[in-house]
Amino acid sequence: MTAVEPRTATDEPEAGTTTGRIRGRHEGGLAVFRGIPFAEPPVGPDRFMAPRPARTWDGVREAFAFGPPPPQEIPVPETFAFGPPPPHESHGSGDAAPTDDRTDGDWLTVNVWTPGVDPAAARPVIVWIYGGAYKVGSSDEPYYDAHRIAGDGDVVTVTFNHRVGIEGFAQIDGAPANRGVLDQIAALEWVRDNIAAFGGDPAQVTVVGESAGAGAVACLLTAPAARGLFHRAIVQSLPGTFFSPELAEDVTAAIAAEMGLRPTVADLSGVAPRVLPAAGAAVSRALRSHQDRWGAVALTPTPFSPVVDGDVLPVTPWRALADGAARDVDLIVGHTRDEYRLFVATSELVGQIDDARAAEALRVFGPGPDPERAYREAFPDASPERLFELVQSDWLMRMPSLHLAEAQVRGGGRAHMYEVTWSAPGNGGALGACHGLDVLLLFGVYDTDLGRLFLGPDGVPEAERLSAHVRRAWTDFAATGDPGWPAYDTEQRLTRLLDTEPRTSAYPEEASRRLWRDHVFAPLPLVRDRDR
């Protein structure tokens, strides 16, 4: 049992949890609690293991500061597929979390923004899961400040940390697969058991995630252990990368070998959690040298993805939903129009894509027996750079998102589709409706590096009306299951276009839809000699 300072008289908000009482702060009309443990620190003998419930404490624990971010690589622009771009800014609103030896393992923490600590209020609950290529990310980023979601929508909003990179997603001998997903399930169990104390309704929980966070939501829709922990879901820019166990094992073995280690708990536990992410160089070397075995994965910036292991994830999300696994879960799913443009711009590829490089991308990432020819015929006026961007937008996020909506409909469930078509005015408008823009629109936090990148010096007024529209749609959906536009079906294909003047029309990416119509998003395989 952890000792905490005795309770003292205070006008700061307090709440009781299953592990003890906590004290937060009043901020901007909300009660805010940060850094609440939902699981034991995954260090020592718990390293690389499934999360264990947090210990109880005596007295009242201060919940003023975010928990420390999980161990991760230091992000650089070209590595930010599946999440908003860098840099990591310090701990946002709230105090910086201490990082001494006593607390640095406390990565598995939740944060709560609530309009009022009233157990009788029974407000809808939104749980946000961050993105970051399954290898970076934390809930303390300033652009994940949930004040506007909770305040504008009168909902209780939760964010949390989960393990990423080698700690969370590497396939390690002696450890369970998908530890990051197991952390997410543990956080949702905490919400189920505790959110009523913060004025939330555990029977009205909506999980929301973007990019790798959208992949997390898709995992939760699939995982048997997550059934009943949430009731609605919003999937923003779903990555199509789910690994087979063979591929995941090979990737981890290669990364470990670059460090002179075996891919075992014993070997990797000998490297401190905060030191292991320095293996980023080893990861890069492994990616560059394994295209013959890893296929398209070797041409991405990340070797981590959820693993279809037959246990945590019995099948892929697309198959699970088509089989009816989530037919009782209301779903919003969508993407931005120009997903991959962010990565072209932040990796300094603008103006550098020639016809040969475009042809390689079309062959590697496109569907069907002759994807290069198919794309060139479908987009006859597209430049090499545009083709390079289009096929990776489609492979990575646009078509996985569309196919998830269609799988949900086939499985007897309901899905609402959207596409962000509003072009970010920042960077001279060069980013278009790029990846991550919907994060900015949802949270409405503009005075961050992310906001300045997307909006430039004068773009806030232009963004604000659409931002309010997105927040209202998401919070209305959390409360009622209706975001304000019709459900998607495979005949009319009605889709909400999120622009200066939002409107509903047929799904706008018809050429890409037709190209990918017969594609199956299966677990990515390990490429063997006989498969070439």
Side-chain angles (χ1 to χ4, degrees), residues 56-280:
T56 59
W57 58 79
D58 293 323
V60 181
R61 181 183 183 124
E62 290 185 348
F64 298 163
F66 289 109
Q72 57 194 265
E73 295 177 32
I74 298 173
V76 294
E78 61 269 23
T79 67
F80 256 76
F82 318 167
H88 176 93
E89 301 172 60
S90 64
H91 292 262
S93 57
D95 298 335
T99 57
D100 58 38
D101 291 339
R102 181 180 60 85
T103 63
D104 192 43
D106 291 332
W107 309 311
L108 302 184
T109 58
V110 301
N111 319 293
V112 181
W113 288 257
T114 177
V117 183
D118 176 7
R123 293 181 173 90
V125 180
I126 285 179
V127 180
W128 170 259
I129 305 177
Y130 53 72
Y134 301 111
K135 66 177 183 179
V136 295
S138 63
S139 61
D140 65 346
E141 293 286 8
Y143 39 77
Y144 296 148
D145 186 297
H147 271 87
R148 299 196 69 183
I149 298 175
D152 295 358
D154 195 35
V155 298
V156 178
T157 307
V158 178
T159 67
F160 65 89
N161 284 348
H162 63 271
R163 283 172 284 181
V164 295
I166 294 174
E167 299 288 333
F169 289 97
Q171 188 85 343
I172 300 171
D173 185 16
N178 297 305
R179 295 172 300 281
V181 178
L182 295 176
D183 292 346
Q184 295 154 14
I185 293 171
L188 287 173
E189 290 172 338
W190 184 93
V191 170
R192 176 197 62 198
D193 297 340
N194 292 282
I195 206 63
F198 298 85
D201 183 355
Q204 282 201 95
V205 175
T206 299
V207 290
V208 188
E210 184 266 351
S211 199
V217 176
C219 289
L220 295 169
L221 289 164
T222 304
R227 300 274 164 80
L229 294 177
F230 59 97
H231 312 88
R232 299 182 178 110
I234 303 177
V235 177
Q236 303 177 204
S237 300
L238 169 64
T241 54
F242 282 70
F243 287 1
S244 66
E246 296 81 9
L247 175 62
E249 289 167 4
D250 202 65
V251 167
T252 303
I255 294 171
E258 290 284 350
M259 297 183 286
L261 302 172
R262 297 170 301 167
T264 64
V265 167
D267 271 27
L268 293 172
S269 292
V271 184
R274 292 289 183 195
V275 174
L276 192 56

Side-chain angles (χ1 to χ4, degrees), residues 208-492:
V208 188
E210 184 266 351
S211 199
V217 176
C219 289
L220 295 169
L221 289 164
T222 304
R227 300 274 164 80
L229 294 177
F230 59 97
H231 312 88
R232 299 182 178 110
I234 303 177
V235 177
Q236 303 177 204
S237 300
L238 169 64
T241 54
F242 282 70
F243 287 1
S244 66
E246 296 81 9
L247 175 62
E249 289 167 4
D250 202 65
V251 167
T252 303
I255 294 171
E258 290 284 350
M259 297 183 286
L261 302 172
R262 297 170 301 167
T264 64
V265 167
D267 271 27
L268 293 172
S269 292
V271 184
R274 292 289 183 195
V275 174
L276 192 56
V283 169
S284 297
R285 288 194 299 271
L287 284 167
R288 286 195 299 269
S289 60
H290 282 77
Q291 187 177 353
D292 60 331
R293 295 175 62 79
W294 302 350
V297 173
L299 298 180
T300 72
T302 178
F304 304 112
S305 280
V307 181
V308 182
D309 65 329
D311 180 17
V312 179
L313 299 179
V315 296
T316 64
W318 301 274
R319 179 175 166 188
L321 268 60
D323 289 344
R327 64 165 59 99
D328 58 343
V329 178
D330 295 327
L331 178 65
I332 292 176
V333 60
H335 55 75
T336 67
R337 183 189 61 212
D338 308 312
E339 289 281 4
Y340 205 75
R341 191 169 301 176
L342 174 67
F343 312 124
V344 172
T346 57
S347 58
E348 300 180 351
L349 289 173
V350 175
Q352 303 301 310
I353 306 299
D354 59 16
D355 203 59
R357 194 161 184 179
E360 179 189 25
L362 291 169
R363 289 191 296 268
V364 170
F365 297 108
D370 191 355
E372 181 181 358
R373 177 180 177 183
Y375 261 86
R376 291 187 187 279
E377 290 180 351
F379 302 97
D381 299 324
S383 67
E385 186 171 296
R386 178 63 175 150
L387 289 169
F388 179 88
E389 174 195 315
L390 269 171
V391 70
Q392 294 190 78
S393 291
D394 286 342
W395 174 79
L396 189 57
M397 286 158 186
R398 296 202 315 180
M399 295 303 105
S401 299
L402 176 65
H403 281 217
L404 193 75
E406 295 190 339
Q408 175 74 336
V409 173
R410 286 198 305 274
R414 184 174 66 170
H416 297 264
M417 189 74 194
Y418 76 88
E419 179 179 86
V420 177
T421 56
W422 180 70
S423 292
N427 200 29
L431 295 174
C434 68
H435 187 68
L437 184 56
D438 48 346
V439 174
L440 185 75
L441 294 173
L442 174 59
F443 283 88
V445 180
Y446 309 124
D447 189 20
T448 65
D449 284 351
L450 184 69
R452 288 182 283 275
L453 173 68
F454 286 159
L455 301 182
D458 305 313
V460 171
E462 186 178 343
E464 179 56 21
R465 184 164 63 171
L466 179 56
S467 177
H469 176 85
V470 170
R471 247 184 332 277
R472 183 170 62 252
W474 269 221
T475 54
D476 283 353
F477 177 77
T480 68
D482 182 3
W485 69 88
Y488 183 89
D489 62 50
T490 54
E491 294 182 1
Q492 292 182 295

